[in-house]
Amino acid sequence: MPFRFRLAKVLKVRRRVLEQRTREVAAAERQFQLCLEHERRLAEACRRLLAAEPAAAGQVLDVRDLVEQAVSLRRLQDDQRAAAQVTRAAQLELDRRREALTAAWRDVEVLRKLEERRRAEWEAEQRRLESRQLDEIGGLRAERLRRS
């Protein structure tokens, strides 16, 4: 009779959950990286806008240009703050997904180790049974030889 792990179906489900959690972590990681990239682009746009100041370039100052630049800079800074909040939320989501992945991995490992232990116990029992059967066969042969 072959080894049969009674929790095999549970282990199979837990492995599927682990795979799903792995995909979720990968998606959260991609989202987090996109947020970081968006933040980087906004920071670069702010740097370019500040570097393009008319006074910094030695150009004549025009009030309309200064107001337009100030409005643009404020809008970019507001966008940066909003992007930073989105990035923090993405980081928290990534951390949450990683914790779920760790828990799923732990669940699979517990069942896998239990299966290994049960298999080892089953194999040891099979060896004991086989040894007992061989002893019985040997005893029967010895008995026949004594009788003849």
Side-chain angles (χ1 to χ4, degrees):
M1 176 169 87
F3 173 74
R4 184 175 168 276
F5 183 52
R6 290 191 289 162
L7 297 174
K9 288 182 182 179
V10 174
L11 179 58
K12 186 177 179 181
V13 168
R14 297 275 170 90
R15 283 183 172 146
R16 276 193 230 130
V17 168
L18 178 62
E19 290 169 5
Q20 177 64 29
R21 297 292 178 259
T22 302
R23 286 190 296 273
E24 290 171 357
V25 166
E29 179 69 35
R30 282 190 300 274
Q31 185 62 35
F32 177 66
Q33 291 303 321
L34 288 173
C35 290
L36 288 176
E37 180 60 26
H38 182 62
E39 261 191 280
R40 189 195 61 73
R41 284 193 310 269
L42 287 172
E44 183 59 33
C46 279
R47 279 192 291 280
R48 280 194 314 270
L49 186 63
L50 288 172
E53 271 188 50
Q59 300 170 353
V60 177
L61 293 177
D62 184 8
V63 173
R64 284 177 285 171
D65 291 340
L66 288 175
V67 169
E68 184 180 312
Q69 182 184 22
V71 168
S72 295
L73 184 59
R74 178 164 303 225
R75 190 177 315 120
L76 278 174
Q77 288 171 338
D78 289 345
D79 289 349
Q80 268 187 305
R81 280 189 288 279
Q85 287 178 340
V86 170
T87 302
R88 278 191 296 278
Q91 177 68 52
L92 291 173
E93 179 65 16
L94 178 59
D95 292 344
R96 191 178 68 76
R97 298 289 182 169
R98 284 181 177 158
E99 288 172 9
L101 175 63
T102 301
W105 179 82
R106 196 176 311 116
D107 290 345
V108 168
E109 279 300 300
V110 165
L111 287 174
R112 192 187 60 73
K113 287 180 181 179
L114 179 62
E115 179 182 25
E116 286 176 7
R117 194 167 49 245
R118 295 276 166 85
R119 183 179 301 276
E121 291 169 358
W122 179 82
E123 288 172 350
E125 181 62 27
Q126 292 301 308
R127 284 191 299 274
R128 280 191 295 277
L129 288 173
E130 186 178 317
S131 177
R132 209 174 299 140
Q133 288 173 348
L134 289 174
D135 288 347
E136 282 180 30
I137 292 171
L140 290 174
R141 278 196 181 155
E143 185 66 32
R144 269 194 227 154
L145 287 175
R146 270 188 259 152
R147 287 185 190 169
S148 39

